[in-house]
Amino acid sequence: VLLLQLITLGGSAQMLTTSGTKGNILTTNLAGALAVMVAIYTAGGVSGAHLNPAFSLAMCLLGQLPWWKFPIFVVVQTSGAFISAGAVYALYSDAIWHYSNGTLTVSGPRETASIFATYPAAYLSLSNGFLDQVMGTAVLIVGIQAILDAQNKGIPKGLEPVAVALLVFSIEVSMGSNCGCPMNPARDFGPRLFTYVAGWGAEVFRWVKGGEGFGGDSI
């Protein structure tokens, strides 16, 4: 999760702090998708690359992961996301403070909170935001299961992470405009908690509309 978020949040930070001159929404989405690939190659042989509490929950429901492991996975996933947010902040601290004119805000023309977490578009209602996340996460889980299903057309051995990265990218570019396509509670809550303690304040936990959701998704 730490590697996943280092690349994902780093792509968001590079785009936002340079006002789009060294990145755009496409490069940010690509960074998020490739981050999934790197993370799966790194952790796939150890834990099966459980990078997302929603995925871990689905595996528990399908009987492929013991329930007693679920809370442990969630804590570790969220902790990894929190630590990676701190690492990205350290890496881009000068850029963040320069871009924000010395004020850490969640909304407005110089907001920087969306580097770390996703925020709803100005038009989005709470119910539509809920549907957005349920639908996007469902496509992710079903897609992963299809890729790993031995009865389907087989993915060449060793290329499964590439297929999952392409799945993530397809979701990003088709379902990302409403709220940034997080699809991962740990990916969103861990960095959001970091921004709360790092100086952005309690506003990071409110339904703040108008953010661009630059945080990007992760599996």
Side-chain angles (χ1 to χ4, degrees), residues 34 42 117 146 209:
L34 293 177
T42 301
K209 294 188 177 184

mmCIF file of all heavy atoms in Angstrom, residues 34 42 117 146 209:
data_model
loop_
_atom_site.group_PDB
_atom_site.id
_atom_site.type_symbol
_atom_site.label_atom_id
_atom_site.label_comp_id
_atom_site.label_asym_id
_atom_site.label_seq_id
_atom_site.Cartn_x
_atom_site.Cartn_y
_atom_site.Cartn_z
ATOM 1 N N LEU A 34 -0.479 2.397 -12.890
ATOM 2 C CA LEU A 34 0.840 1.760 -12.843
ATOM 3 C C LEU A 34 1.270 1.480 -11.407
ATOM 4 O O LEU A 34 1.983 0.503 -11.135
ATOM 5 C CB LEU A 34 1.874 2.643 -13.542
ATOM 6 C CG LEU A 34 1.694 2.803 -15.053
ATOM 7 C CD1 LEU A 34 2.729 3.770 -15.616
ATOM 8 C CD2 LEU A 34 1.786 1.453 -15.753
ATOM 9 N N THR A 42 5.022 -6.325 -6.177
ATOM 10 C CA THR A 42 5.813 -6.288 -4.948
ATOM 11 C C THR A 42 5.244 -7.210 -3.873
ATOM 12 O O THR A 42 5.981 -7.934 -3.204
ATOM 13 C CB THR A 42 5.870 -4.850 -4.397
ATOM 14 O OG1 THR A 42 6.457 -3.994 -5.383
ATOM 15 C CG2 THR A 42 6.704 -4.789 -3.125
ATOM 16 N N ALA A 117 -6.399 13.197 -0.774
ATOM 17 C CA ALA A 117 -7.688 12.523 -0.698
ATOM 18 C C ALA A 117 -8.578 13.042 -1.819
ATOM 19 O O ALA A 117 -8.259 14.040 -2.468
ATOM 20 C CB ALA A 117 -8.344 12.758 0.658
ATOM 21 N N ALA A 146 -12.704 -11.752 -12.526
ATOM 22 C CA ALA A 146 -12.713 -12.273 -13.897
ATOM 23 C C ALA A 146 -11.295 -12.529 -14.396
ATOM 24 O O ALA A 146 -11.024 -13.537 -15.066
ATOM 25 C CB ALA A 146 -13.431 -11.291 -14.816
ATOM 26 N N LYS A 209 -17.556 20.373 -1.348
ATOM 27 C CA LYS A 209 -17.717 20.291 -2.800
ATOM 28 C C LYS A 209 -16.763 21.258 -3.507
ATOM 29 O O LYS A 209 -16.323 22.236 -2.943
ATOM 30 C CB LYS A 209 -19.155 20.608 -3.188
ATOM 31 C CG LYS A 209 -20.157 19.581 -2.697
ATOM 32 C CD LYS A 209 -21.526 19.850 -3.288
ATOM 33 C CE LYS A 209 -22.512 18.767 -2.846
ATOM 34 N NZ LYS A 209 -23.836 18.953 -3.475
#
